[in-house]
Amino acid sequence: MSVQQEAGVDGEALEVWIDQDLCTGDGICAQYAPEVFELDIDGLAYVKSPQDELLQDTGATTPVPLLTDVIDSAKECPGECIHVRRVSDSVEVYGPDAA
């Protein structure tokens, strides 16, 4: 991975989560970042653990390994359900609640 991909905002660690209540199941996130997102049999997107395990618990988070791909997913998501936040203080930096 490149430094751009590994680093979060200003080198800080980031995590991503999906609000399944808003997910439209379009799968854009899985197209942009299949290492991070996957559609389940219920038609909704979920994040995956670094070990490629689908995380189905409400509010489950995973580290952001591919910053550009995850940001593009958040920007293009029609459901506006992808949230990227800093691990250190849980402030959303990309997604519908970003300042």
Side-chain angles (χ1 to χ4, degrees):
M1 271 185 220
S2 71
V3 173
Q4 173 203 4
Q5 291 173 319
E6 288 180 13
V9 176
D10 296 325
E12 292 191 55
L14 300 176
E15 62 187 4
V16 60
W17 66 281
I18 295 177
D19 183 343
Q20 277 79 28
D21 290 337
L22 300 176
C23 180
T24 59
D26 286 85
I28 292 171
C29 56
Q31 291 174 11
Y32 276 108
E35 303 84 355
V36 179
F37 304 107
E38 183 176 324
L39 292 176
D40 197 17
I41 58 172
D42 63 4
L44 301 177
Y46 294 87
V47 295
K48 298 191 305 186
S49 74
Q51 294 77 32
D52 206 35
E53 174 188 355
L54 198 63
L55 303 176
Q56 296 176 300
D57 293 335
T58 301
T61 65
T62 197
V64 176
L66 302 166
L67 184 58
T68 302
D69 294 342
V70 171
I71 292 168
D72 288 345
S73 297
K75 287 180 180 177
E76 298 297 325
C77 177
E80 296 185 347
C81 64
I82 299 173
H83 302 266
V84 181
R85 63 185 176 202
R86 285 191 302 255
V87 172
S88 62
D89 59 7
S90 297
V91 170
E92 187 161 320
V93 292
Y94 300 103
D97 298 332

